[in-house]
Amino acid sequence: MALSRLAASYGVATSYSPSLGRTVPVSDAAVVAALAALGVDASGPEAIRAALAAREAHLAERLLPPTVVAWTDEPLSEAAPLAGLPRGTRVRVEAERGEVIEWTVPPADAAAPAPEGPAGLPPGVHLLLVRSPDGRRAEAHLIAAPRRIKTPPRRTHGLLVQLYSLLSRDSWGMGDLGDLAELAAWSGHALNAGFVQVNPLHAAVPSPPEGPGGDPSPYRPSSRRFPDPVHLRVEAVPEFARLTGEARDRADALRRRAGGLREGVLREGRLIDRDAVWALKREALELLHEVPLGPGRRADYHAFLAEQGAALEAHATWYALAEVHGPDWHSWPAALRDPSSPATARARRELMDRVDFHCRLAWLTDAQLSAAQRTARDAGMDIGLVHDLAVGVHPGGADAWAQQDHFAPRMTVGAPPDAFNARGQDWGLPPWRPDRLAESGYAPYRALVRGLLRHAGALRIDHVMGLFRLWWVPEGREPTEGTYVHYDAEAMLAVLALEADRADALVIGEDLGTVEPGVREALREHGVLGTSVLWFERDWAGTGRPLPAEAWRADCVATATTHDLPPTAARLTGEHVQLRHELGLLTRPLAEERAEAALDVREWLGLLCRLGMLPGGTGCEEDEIRALHRFLLATPARMIGVWLPDAVGDRRPQNLPGTWDQYPNWRLPVADAAGRPVTLEDLAASPRLHAFMAVFREGAQSDDTARTAPPGARPV
């Protein structure tokens, strides 16, 4: 069928497999819509025939794809597109550091065997040029990357935390980068932790001056390229100490109001109000923007501007324009919807002070991120900070405006129907176009990964399967009416490997849920660690029972839970089922859900008892949570992640998928078993936490040892 052939040539799927042995066709309408988003007219039989003929002629004629991948451990000539060049083709590589490599593909009648070609190409993004014997020319981006990303040199454990949820006595109503640095210093020194993994710190969509607040989810940001200044510790900005007179009085008044926000969360049961926090911080940062920078600070700021270049200018321009026209660029005057239009250039000049303000915020946030990572490494952490990369961005935000040529119009990313969600999912995130990424040498993706790894020891990629394919849903349609669009996974992985190598960092993929065959194998081949959650690790191909520790994979972060799963305490008691029932989220009768959840817990605790990891038997929640983590330590996993709320008995999930207003997603502070908020200072003095973390101390075998706490510790 012509439509199927056309779709396949562009990586658009015409069917998918929700489970092993089952194939579901997608509608022709979904395929036609996906092709349209890629600039291909498939609206009728004649259009399909014409598009297919043009596509096949183009593929037959071209010498090279837009981007070529070469692994640095093999001869360059073995890269697939180069190996298929016509004999006698002249090849030239202009490396990014100035080196030039040239050779000729030997003719077919050459007496001597064809040489392997040059080896030792330096890692980087180079220019590849070829000229065939018949005079055809082509050029392509050449991504040369190490085949494998480094993995941890030794077993390590660390904390997983949503930064906004961990307040200290110095927070302005939500956790900030000062708290992150303090947490890293304390956990590195006192808990021997090797890393702290945080939620995405991407720049959020600002709230409109009037009307409903902004989206609190860190997984639907305005920009993934730059961090959110709401995380700044205002008092740690050097210019704060130089405030005088009325400006100082205003700053002190803002600090007192921020203290009221903090106390409201910690003492009065209020939710974290990101918008209120940002309103106070923004006013304070406006005051700091009026303080002249000293010569050294000014030079550092200018160096940052030069390094970040046009990407930062576009980012700051969007935020300046959003102050005037609102936070969705689709509603702006038509001329301003184009980031390169003369009207946008004029507006940028007119708003230059506001553009500079938002550039300054990016610089200040970058500096505090750097300080937090430096603190983590100084505390003895092997890895330090693990940043999180969200799947996509808000369609009305800064990235979608500045890079709109790289995004598929009128499409959103989601998930197809499966056993857990019969209606599928629509995440409201515009997908990148794979063709535009390839044409640019993956420039936006490279810049994104490089920026996130500036001050990190590792990067976690949410829904890492998106490097291979994403479910595209036509705008205004149900998720069931979408289809998969494939990406060049080799190129996406090469970019990851290149940037991780440059940053000397690890990469972790969140590979939970339905995973296409071959994906985990490809990730493992390139050194990308997976994510293994205890409750999901079962012998699915056999008995269905909990997977023995020795059968777990080594190349993973092993954990008991994550930010959008029930805390371990709630799972042990079945509270998570009751919560979902009260919110109308269950798809089966409550009794069935309760029975299945209880059986799950019994099987795991029974295994722990048989292994001697729960010597006192079941019945004590704290002992059970510690035993589950003893089991994680018995697996070969290279990294063990501790969901920080588990360490103090928190029972509330930070995010409950499938809800919006029904549940306070992304607005809850870390709390103890009774629901009382726990500060960073409380954590450091918590006997429950220290008893829990004793499981990770080398040689901690007995319960007496496991219950020790430092002098001055008090119950939480």
Side-chain angles (χ1 to χ4, degrees):
M1 183 178 176
L3 181 59
S4 295
R5 286 168 55 197
L6 180 62
S9 73
Y10 283 96
V12 177
T14 54
S15 64
Y16 70 99
S17 299
S19 57
L20 192 63
R22 180 170 172 244
T23 300
V24 177
V26 300
S27 69
D28 286 353
V31 174
V32 169
L35 287 169
L38 293 170
V40 181
D41 180 7
S43 56
E46 289 188 13
I48 292 170
R49 283 193 293 271
L52 180 60
R55 179 66 169 171
E56 291 180 340
H58 168 72
L59 294 177
E61 177 68 15
R62 79 177 186 184
L63 291 169
L64 294 172
T67 294
V68 174
V69 171
W71 303 108
T72 54
D73 64 347
E74 67 182 13
L76 178 57
S77 58
E78 290 187 9
L82 297 180
L85 288 171
R87 298 291 184 170
T89 296
R90 185 69 178 165
V91 183
R92 176 184 174 92
V93 176
E94 297 178 2
E96 64 179 12
R97 294 185 179 179
E99 307 98 316
V100 174
I101 303 170
E102 295 182 301
W103 79 95
T104 300
V105 179
D109 57 356
E116 289 188 337
L121 185 68
V125 181
H126 315 304
L127 178 62
L128 173 64
L129 304 104
V130 300
R131 186 179 72 248
S132 66
D134 60 6
R136 287 179 295 156
R137 295 173 181 268
E139 67 177 55
H141 305 276
L142 175 62
I143 301 176
R147 187 178 297 276
R148 280 188 61 81
I149 300 166
K150 78 167 192 176
T151 51
R154 58 180 178 175
R155 159 73 69 83
T156 186
H157 67 272
L159 302 177
L160 317 179
V161 63
Q162 301 283 290
L163 179 57
Y164 61 84
S165 71
L166 183 61
L167 285 70
S168 71
R169 60 190 172 206
D170 296 318
S171 304
W172 282 34
M174 61 182 280
D176 60 32
L177 293 174
D179 297 321
L180 178 58
E182 195 73 21
L183 176 66
W186 167 68
S187 61
H189 287 301
L191 306 179
N192 199 31
F195 63 92
V196 174
Q197 178 180 305
V198 294
N199 54 284
L201 303 182
H202 308 319
V205 175
S207 299
E210 298 177 357
D215 188 343
S217 171
Y219 290 91
R220 198 167 183 250
S222 171
S223 172
R224 298 184 294 176
R225 179 65 183 84
F226 294 97
D228 196 327
V230 75
H231 300 113
L232 280 169
R233 172 67 61 85
V234 174
E235 298 91 332
V237 176
E239 285 67 42
F240 187 87
R242 297 175 55 199
L243 289 173
T244 59
E246 182 183 349
R248 182 67 191 210
D249 292 341
R250 288 176 59 192
D252 288 342
L254 291 170
R255 292 179 72 187
R256 288 191 292 272
R257 290 168 60 190
L261 289 179
R262 179 180 62 247
E263 292 307 303
V265 173
L266 296 177
R267 310 289 176 235
E268 299 169 18
R270 296 180 192 169
L271 298 174
I272 292 169
D273 187 341
R274 181 197 174 281
D275 291 335
V277 172
W278 175 235
L280 296 180
K281 287 192 176 184
R282 176 173 170 168
E283 190 173 343
L285 291 164
E286 298 275 10
L287 296 174
L288 300 186
H289 189 230
E290 298 301 316
V291 178
L293 298 175
R297 294 273 290 163
R298 185 167 57 252
D300 186 65
Y301 178 45
H302 289 167
F304 180 79
L305 292 176
E307 180 184 14
Q308 300 302 319
L312 176 58
E313 183 180 62
H315 175 83
T317 298
W318 183 91
Y319 276 88
L321 289 170
E323 292 176 351
V324 178
H325 301 289
D328 185 347
W329 62 271
H330 296 93
S331 65
W332 294 355
L336 297 180
R337 297 172 201 166
D338 179 357
S340 59
S341 73
T344 298
R346 281 195 305 272
R348 182 184 297 114
R349 290 192 296 270
E350 293 167 0
L351 296 170
M352 188 51 67
D353 183 66
R354 302 309 302 160
V355 172
D356 181 71
F357 174 68
H358 290 288
C359 286
R360 184 85 65 93
L361 295 184
W363 171 58
L364 295 175
T365 312
D366 181 82
Q368 291 195 7
L369 280 168
S370 175
Q373 172 65 355
R374 188 166 55 250
T375 299
R377 297 305 299 270
D378 288 347
M381 289 189 169
D382 289 341
I383 297 170
L385 303 185
V386 180
H387 287 304
D388 198 353
L389 173 60
V391 176
V393 296
H394 194 288
D399 283 1
W401 175 74
Q403 300 174 349
Q404 56 191 271
D405 288 347
H406 285 84
F407 285 98
R410 297 175 296 281
M411 284 285 167
T412 66
V413 174
D418 57 25
F420 301 99
N421 195 324
R423 294 176 296 180
Q425 300 175 56
D426 183 347
W427 301 333
L429 309 169
W432 265 335
R433 286 181 55 165
D435 56 334
R436 294 285 171 81
L437 286 177
E439 289 165 7
S440 69
Y442 292 81
Y445 179 52
R446 286 189 279 119
L448 171 60
V449 175
R450 187 181 312 126
L452 288 166
L453 287 173
R454 276 173 66 86
H455 310 302
L459 176 64
R460 175 192 181 268
I461 300 179
D462 193 36
H463 191 67
V464 72
M465 296 80 79
L467 301 181
F468 296 77
R469 65 179 185 177
L470 285 171
W471 184 257
W472 286 20
V473 181
E475 197 173 71
R477 305 279 186 86
E478 293 297 317
T480 53
E481 300 177 61
T483 187
Y484 276 115
V485 175
H486 291 263
Y487 294 77
D488 184 344
E490 183 182 47
M492 301 288 271
L493 289 168
V495 169
L496 268 184
L498 173 62
E499 298 302 336
D501 180 65
R502 287 171 162 170
D504 192 30
L506 315 174
V507 176
I508 302 159
E510 184 272 289
D511 57 349
L512 303 174
T514 302
V515 182
E516 186 181 11
V519 167
R520 286 196 174 108
E521 292 77 8
L523 294 172
R524 184 170 61 247
E525 177 189 352
H526 293 286
V528 178
L529 301 177
T531 302
S532 293
V533 176
L534 180 139
W535 305 98
F536 302 156
E537 293 297 312
R538 288 177 170 272
D539 179 15
W540 297 113
T543 65
R545 294 186 178 278
L547 194 66
E550 63 273 12
W552 283 43
R553 54 183 171 171
D555 295 326
C556 74
V557 178
T559 182
T561 192
T562 68
H563 63 273
D564 54 8
L565 293 173
T568 304
R571 190 180 288 273
L572 289 172
T573 61
E575 294 169 52
H576 66 299
V577 176
Q578 182 63 32
L579 176 61
R580 291 179 62 82
H581 169 66
E582 292 170 359
L583 295 174
L585 299 177
L586 297 184
T587 58
R588 295 183 299 169
L590 176 60
E592 288 184 23
E593 295 277 1
R594 279 178 170 167
E596 182 176 292
L599 176 62
D600 199 20
V601 170
R602 284 199 305 274
E603 288 183 341
W604 275 105
L605 296 184
L607 174 61
L608 299 179
C609 288
R610 292 193 297 274
L611 293 174
M613 295 180 179
L614 193 53
T618 60
C620 175
E621 176 186 294
E622 292 185 47
D623 288 345
E624 291 169 354
I625 295 175
R626 284 198 293 268
L628 289 166
H629 287 80
R630 287 193 186 99
F631 181 87
L632 294 178
L633 284 168
T635 73
R638 295 179 184 273
M639 296 173 66
I640 309 295
V642 175
W643 176 236
L644 184 59
D646 271 356
V648 290
D650 200 346
R651 323 184 82 75
R652 306 171 303 176
Q654 279 294 319
N655 177 47
L656 196 56
T659 64
W660 182 248
D661 292 333
Q662 312 98 300
Y663 187 80
N665 297 313
W666 321 115
R667 289 173 287 173
L668 292 171
V670 175
D672 64 13
R676 293 184 297 265
V678 175
T679 66
L680 178 54
E681 292 81 11
D682 292 332
L683 286 177
S686 166
R688 176 165 179 159
L689 179 140
H690 285 279
F692 172 83
M693 294 303 299
V695 171
F696 294 86
R697 284 203 294 268
E698 185 179 358
Q701 299 293 331
S702 69
D703 284 347
D704 288 341
T705 304
R707 293 182 184 276
T708 58
R714 54 187 173 81
V716 173

